[in-house]
Amino acid sequence: MRLAEKRIALYPGSFDPMTLGHLDIIERLCALYDEVVVALLVNPAKKPYLTQEERLEGMENALAHLPNARVIVGSGATVEVAKAVGAKVMARGLRSVTDFEYETALAAGYRYMDPDIETIMLLAKPELGYISSSIVRDIHALKGDVTPLVPPAIYAVLQRKAQTKGE
Ligand code: ADP
């Protein structure tokens, strides 16, 4: 490895929507790596709560204070997305044993597809470990207050969506 080589980590996910738990992982990754590429992965088979454009806009605004983080939209094999941006590290977050089972299987898949990519897991901060995108979606759909769960920029996108739907 060349000494000057940039250490780049890819943080992939569906971020539907991004939560304070995701943001915390990204901020911690920014302290560990030269560059953090957050990959908003689009699965055409799934109907998301927020559109790709809404998620992207909210995430870019939510990460504006982090000079070494950027967001890209990706599809297909995640290891190919990592390769395309020069990331040797795949980063994921762990909240629980349920995450652990899923994440270890996923990491095994990444390793099978590209043994040169290392997957690292950051443990959720205890106070953020209960936050999930699905909880945010459920509470928002029921018109509950999601301000303690998401960054302000994501809240703005969620509120705009609720208003345009005439809610
Ligand atoms: P997926 O790729 O499974 O759709 P998400 O977009 O929900 O995942 O999340 C991306 C990554 O962030 C996953 O590794 C997930 O375990 C992790 N994560 C989700 N919520 C939190 C949280 N509150 N704290 C830490 N990590 C989290």
Side-chain angles (χ1 to χ4, degrees):
M1 189 179 94
R2 280 178 291 126
L3 275 180
E5 202 171 299
K6 246 181 154 187
R7 291 164 314 144
I8 305 171
L10 189 84
Y11 181 44
S14 40
F15 305 108
D16 188 27
M18 171 181 271
T19 69
L20 287 180
H22 294 132
L23 179 60
D24 178 62
I25 296 286
I26 296 164
E27 287 173 341
R28 287 158 61 197
L29 286 171
C30 282
L32 293 170
Y33 293 93
D34 297 317
E35 187 181 355
V36 177
V37 181
V38 181
L40 167 55
L41 296 182
V42 181
N43 180 351
K46 274 195 195 166
K47 183 162 170 20
Y49 191 69
L50 292 181
T51 66
Q52 176 188 315
E53 293 74 22
E54 288 166 337
R55 279 179 281 168
L56 183 62
E57 178 199 326
M59 289 165 74
E60 281 177 340
N61 290 335
L63 302 184
H65 64 296
L66 298 168
N68 59 335
R70 65 187 174 99
V71 188
I72 61 165
V73 176
S75 59
T78 314
V79 292
E80 295 301 329
V81 178
K83 255 188 242 172
V85 300
K88 298 262 172 60
V89 168
M90 199 76 89
R92 300 280 293 175
L94 273 188
R95 288 162 293 185
S96 60
V97 284
T98 322
D99 273 356
F100 183 82
E101 289 197 1
Y102 176 73
E103 295 294 340
T104 46
L106 195 62
Y110 293 151
R111 181 170 295 281
Y112 175 77
M113 291 186 75
D114 188 342
D116 293 333
I117 290 183
E118 200 63 65
T119 301
I120 65 146
M121 317 262 175
L122 263 58
L123 294 178
K125 268 196 193 148
E127 64 271 31
L128 301 174
Y130 70 96
I131 302 178
S132 65
S133 296
S134 66
I135 282 184
V136 172
R137 291 196 299 269
D138 289 350
I139 294 177
H140 185 255
L142 293 167
K143 301 186 180 65
D145 180 18
V146 294
T147 46
L149 307 176
V150 296
I154 302 294
Y155 182 71
V157 171
L158 286 166
Q159 285 315 94
R160 195 180 63 207
K161 189 169 189 89
Q163 276 155 17
T164 52
K165 276 165 112 186
E167 290 174 8

